[in-house]
Amino acid sequence: MKRRKTRSRRRRKNKFWKKTFVTGALLGGGIYFVQKTLEETSSSGQQTVIMDITDAAGKFTSQVNKGFEEIQIKDDTPLIDLSRTNSANILLTNLKSGDVLAEKNSNVQLYPASLTKIMTALVAIEMVDDLDKEVVMIPDYFEGLFEQEASVAGFLEDELLSFRDLLYGAILPSGADACLAIAYSLAGSEAEYVSLMNQKAVELGLSKTHFSNVTGLHDPQNYSSAEDLTSLLKYALDNPDFYQVFTTVEYSTEPTNFHADGVQMFNSIFRHGEEYPKFSDFVIGAKTGFTEEAGLCLATLAEINGESYILITAGAGAQENGPDYVEILDPLHVADATMIYSQVEKIHERSKINVNE
């Protein structure tokens, strides 16, 4: 990559001087300008210029020696454009390094909707020694779900299932019935289980998070932030059982006393693969969420050129974002994720070009 030289003129010995300058750099087809201060010490005959320049490959550091000049270029500014996104809250991070690539209102309180079920599943995994232990689905696990139009996994009263089945039911089809079965079976009530979820939130330092239920059904006291949800998901993915559930697209239980072929479950977010094929190319795991107040929410794990990324988006089409709210038909959260991850892919591609040059 070519860089422009900076010019200087010598002054009297032992005289220090500063000059403000503007350097233009042609990078990745775009021109970026950075204004910095240049300091020269004529007694040494050398000058050092530190310039922050937005490079098309993202974070980029190199050093070039040019005679009396030593130029160091650093950049800590990500190149992800969020100006056309639909989501009110966004946070994109590198899973391994934790580096933030893009953010939008990431520390602002939001309603997580069914992203709440990430914590519901995590607490269960950490509590249960044997995930194949069986649970009977009693009527209490279904109470009020139809009236609240909650999503369900498709289990039936008196059906015999394993905790593993319940975990897949909570994450893939976002089943509220699975979540209530987990809560009652492990803590005796939803309220007691929610207390365990909040204890875990405190343990993880999720200062903007509080849960009031296990399902994510709207409640003003059930809230979080994109930053907290990122921390939660990053922690959860370190658990191999959670990782397995989160990155599964399709799952079938063993035959049950009501389903001879088992209960079939799918992660519905991947049905948008035909409309957004790039989404399925990038994303290997996902959890969706939606209420009128929360809008469309999405937590995803993606792999791009050997790097893993976590993206949290929330608030797309939320009712309180404007008076013209209508029922969401377009997958705005999928569109946002596809747009953002596509930009990450381009950054990787440009980085390879720069290295080859």
Side-chain angles (χ1 to χ4, degrees), residues 36-302:
K36 287 293 179 183
T37 300
L38 172 68
E39 181 171 313
E40 178 187 16
T41 305
S42 61
S43 61
S44 64
Q46 292 185 339
Q47 68 178 16
T48 299
V49 183
I50 304 297
M51 294 184 292
D52 289 335
I53 297 180
T54 303
D55 178 81
K59 295 180 183 295
F60 173 77
T61 302
S62 71
Q63 182 165 303
V64 181
N65 294 315
K66 297 184 179 181
F68 67 92
E69 291 179 327
E70 180 185 1
I71 300 178
Q72 185 179 10
I73 297 178
K74 287 185 177 181
D75 176 39
D76 293 323
T77 307
L79 273 182
I80 306 296
D81 180 13
L82 302 180
S83 62
R84 293 176 296 157
T85 52
N86 305 284
S87 301
N89 313 87
I90 298 173
L91 186 59
L92 173 67
T93 58
N94 183 295
L95 177 61
K96 183 177 180 180
S97 68
D99 290 339
V100 174
L101 282 77
E103 75 87 32
K104 176 182 178 184
N105 299 323
S106 62
N107 201 32
V108 175
Q109 183 176 303
L110 57 81
Y111 297 128
S114 286
L115 300 191
T116 297
K117 292 165 185 167
I118 294 173
M119 181 65 92
T120 305
L122 172 65
V123 171
I125 288 172
E126 294 191 339
M127 289 183 68
V128 179
D129 293 330
D130 181 9
L131 293 179
D132 293 319
K133 183 179 179 181
E134 293 183 321
V135 175
V136 178
M137 300 294 291
I138 65 174
D140 288 349
Y141 304 166
F142 303 91
E143 187 175 351
L145 297 184
F146 177 78
E147 292 78 5
Q148 297 178 82
E149 299 182 349
S151 56
V152 294
F155 303 140
L156 300 175
E157 289 185 16
D158 297 323
E159 189 161 19
L160 194 61
L161 300 155
S162 69
F163 274 108
R164 192 181 308 277
D165 296 334
L166 296 178
L167 291 171
Y168 281 100
I171 298 298
L172 270 61
S174 201
D177 49 350
C179 293
L180 289 175
I182 288 171
Y184 277 85
S185 299
L186 294 179
S189 70
E190 182 177 15
E192 288 299 319
Y193 194 84
V194 167
S195 178
L196 297 176
M197 291 167 62
N198 283 322
Q199 287 178 30
K200 192 65 183 180
V202 171
E203 177 187 324
L204 295 177
L206 309 183
S207 60
K208 293 283 173 88
T209 296
H210 181 270
F211 298 109
S212 63
N213 59 56
V214 298
T215 60
L217 289 169
H218 181 66
D219 186 312
Q221 294 306 308
N222 198 82
Y223 55 82
S224 188
S225 70
E227 187 176 81
D228 279 4
L229 289 169
T230 296
S231 297
L232 170 61
L233 182 55
K234 187 172 188 280
Y235 173 86
L237 288 170
D238 279 339
N239 185 296
D241 290 317
F242 182 92
Y243 185 95
Q244 180 65 41
V245 173
F246 192 79
T247 56
T248 296
V249 176
E250 179 180 354
Y251 175 81
S252 177
T253 71
E254 294 294 324
T256 75
N257 51 328
F258 284 94
H259 292 92
D261 296 324
V263 181
Q264 306 292 321
M265 290 177 277
F266 304 88
N267 191 324
S268 60
I269 195 68
F270 290 99
R271 75 180 185 273
H272 300 292
E274 186 172 331
E275 185 178 359
Y276 295 97
K278 277 285 190 181
F279 179 85
S280 297
D281 290 343
F282 301 136
V283 175
I284 63 171
K287 179 70 196 79
T288 60
F290 172 76
T291 64
E292 291 186 2
E293 297 82 1
L296 289 163
C297 304
L298 183 60
T300 57
L301 171 66

